[in-house]
Amino acid sequence: MKNAILVLNGGSSSLKFAVFQERGDLHLLARGGVSSIGHRPRLNVAPTAFSPEVDESLGNGPIDIATAFNAIASFLADYGLLRQICKVGHRIVHGGQEFARATLLDARTLDALHGLEPLAPTHQAVNLEIVELAGQLLPDAKQVGCFDTAFHAARPELAKIYALPHEMSEQGIVSYGFHGLSYAHIAARLRDRYGAGAGGRTIVAHLGSGASLCATQAGVSHATTMGFSTLDGLVMSTRCGSIDPGVLLHLLKDRKLSSDELSTLLYERSGLLGVSGISGDMQTLLASSEPAAAGAVDLFVYRIGREIGSLAAALGGLDTLVFTAGIGEHAPQIRQRICGSAAWLGVAIDDGLNRGGEELVILPNSRVDVLVIPANEERAVATELISFDNSLINPVAAGRD
């Protein structure tokens, strides 16, 4: 019986996957991915009751996304999981103004999503190539897209618009926000912990190669640091984050950069890599004794601390602070420094708990709960697929959302 969901989550340098079985709830059958696609790629699969642990090299040079996909497909076939799949859920970074919930990926939808590639050049084309590959591998499976921008669609209008002529906003030049599937998973975890209030006035720090913060109230997005594109907001691995638009005009008009050169600069040569001149990898920078590495880390922490203040103002205070994603989960010294910058909000964390892998890492006198929760965008996608199927079964109820 085919009752398994395959989730595919393509990033700029990785392809993650998970397989869940629907038995009233979601049961994980397998989870893993191909990492470091551009440099010494590896296939890693976590052990479960249905699949073994895998850690194997896929070569010493870069591979394309199709090769990474084929490695995952071979693993799923070898362990009998491929034939169980009836639905494929895809994380797609940009849904634009049109797609604010899980959507069947038919020809019309795919054409519209291709049109959004300039707004997420390092992700959107990859996401859509994975949809094509999955359709070829599993032609009878339902292909459904879930969008990183969708979680932020409910934000107040003031949190979306720029101070540009109104007709430009009408044309879609607005703040969309990203990492929404990660934030949706955290909101679900907070509801499990706190009930419907989901931690109250919360700031979630999704800190990985791409990084952003999201302010939520009762699990609903109110403000976020990324905007029209994935360049905005925090300092990232190779992306610049917020920058004075005058700098961009200067680079185009006075330095005579082409649009392609400017795009490469902002997406691939800036951020931690650009400031340090060493690496965009946080662990590499933390291990380095070079002053430039320390300077890049200092800037990363400073900008996060400043944005936490801005989002706390938007919320009218702070009840809960959550760290997630690669740096957020695995760099306790970064969490310590960020929390130190937020001490004025009542944040106080316990160094032992912070370094010991606990979920709640606060001192008894902290006025803010500080949590470390692993990212799980794949489960968020699978959950959306179930909601998508339920909406097809009960379209009247779906229309009341």
Side-chain angles (χ1 to χ4, degrees):
M1 178 181 177
K2 290 189 174 184
N3 65 345
I5 297 171
L6 170 63
V7 176
L8 295 168
N9 178 357
S12 55
S13 63
S14 65
L15 175 56
K16 300 175 186 177
F17 78 94
V19 180
F20 299 91
Q21 189 175 55
E22 288 186 77
R23 297 201 309 264
D25 198 358
L26 290 170
H27 296 265
L28 181 66
L29 302 182
R31 187 182 187 195
V34 177
S35 60
S36 302
I37 287 174
H39 177 67
R40 296 187 177 180
R42 300 191 70 82
L43 173 67
N44 299 103
V45 181
T48 71
F50 303 93
S51 64
E53 182 174 12
V54 175
D55 181 9
E56 63 181 50
S57 171
L58 298 179
N60 292 321
I63 61 174
D64 58 21
I65 200 69
T67 303
F69 178 87
N70 289 335
I72 291 170
S74 294
F75 168 83
L76 296 175
D78 288 345
Y79 290 93
L81 295 170
L82 203 59
R83 63 175 179 266
Q84 299 181 43
I85 294 166
C86 63
K87 285 174 283 190
V88 185
H90 298 270
R91 175 208 174 199
I92 297 178
V93 165
H94 215 307
Q97 291 184 305
E98 183 175 357
F99 303 107
R101 63 175 66 208
T103 303
L104 188 68
L105 295 172
D106 57 19
R108 188 203 69 81
T109 298
L110 290 171
D111 186 59
L113 293 173
H114 277 294
L116 297 170
E117 286 181 21
L119 306 188
T122 61
H123 293 86
Q124 192 84 348
V126 171
N127 297 158
L128 298 178
E129 182 179 354
I130 293 166
V131 174
E132 181 180 352
L133 292 166
Q136 294 170 359
L137 180 68
L138 297 161
D140 297 326
K142 184 187 301 179
Q143 309 281 333
V144 179
C146 301
F147 305 97
D148 261 337
T149 48
F151 182 75
H152 304 293
R155 284 176 300 157
E157 193 68 14
L158 287 177
K160 298 179 186 179
I161 61 172
Y162 295 115
L164 292 170
H166 178 71
E167 60 268 21
M168 291 186 172
S169 297
E170 292 293 307
Q171 293 163 2
I173 302 179
V174 297
S175 169
Y176 291 98
F178 298 89
H179 293 136
L181 291 165
S182 177
Y183 294 131
H185 169 68
I186 298 301
R189 287 289 306 273
L190 292 177
R191 289 188 190 99
D192 290 342
R193 185 182 185 98
Y194 295 104
R201 299 167 299 181
T202 298
I203 295 174
V204 184
H206 178 106
L207 306 179
S209 294
S212 68
L213 304 178
C214 181
T216 67
Q217 177 75 57
V220 176
S221 178
H222 272 236
T224 188
T225 55
M226 280 184 173
F228 177 72
S229 76
T230 57
L231 281 174
D232 201 10
L234 308 180
V235 174
M236 293 170 251
S237 176
T238 63
R239 283 174 258 168
C240 62
S242 296
I243 188 169
D244 182 346
V247 174
L248 309 184
L249 294 174
H250 167 73
L251 293 173
L252 288 169
K253 294 173 61 177
D254 302 323
R255 297 290 185 94
K256 307 302 182 184
L257 266 66
S258 70
S259 60
D260 286 344
E261 289 171 330
L262 182 60
S263 179
T264 298
L265 171 68
L266 300 178
Y267 278 102
E268 300 176 22
R269 294 176 46 212
S270 298
L272 294 173
L273 173 64
V275 175
S276 71
I278 297 169
S279 175
D281 178 70
M282 178 59 76
Q283 295 299 337
T284 300
L285 296 178
L286 290 173
S288 174
S289 60
E290 292 294 327
V297 174
D298 288 347
L299 182 61
F300 181 82
V301 171
Y302 165 74
R303 291 277 285 274
I304 292 171
R306 198 171 75 176
E307 291 294 338
I308 285 175
S310 172
L311 293 182
L315 290 170
L318 185 63
D319 301 311
T320 307
L321 175 62
V322 181
F323 291 93
T324 192
I327 298 170
E329 295 169 33
H330 303 299
Q333 60 270 62
I334 297 297
R335 293 196 298 267
Q336 181 81 44
R337 291 182 60 181
I338 291 169
C339 288
S341 73
W344 64 279
L345 286 164
V347 174
I349 66 169
D350 183 290
D351 186 58
L353 295 175
N354 180 45
R355 294 180 180 275
E358 299 296 323
E359 180 173 278
L360 183 66
V361 295
I362 58 170
L363 289 167
N365 65 332
S366 182
R367 299 196 304 273
V368 175
D369 277 358
V370 180
L371 305 167
V372 182
I373 300 177
N376 197 337
E377 292 162 315
E378 295 76 38
R379 181 170 286 274
V381 170
T383 301
E384 280 205 31
L385 257 67
I386 292 175
S387 297
F388 172 79
D389 284 342
N390 289 341
S391 72
L392 295 180
I393 294 168
N394 188 1
V396 174
R400 291 198 297 263
D401 288 351

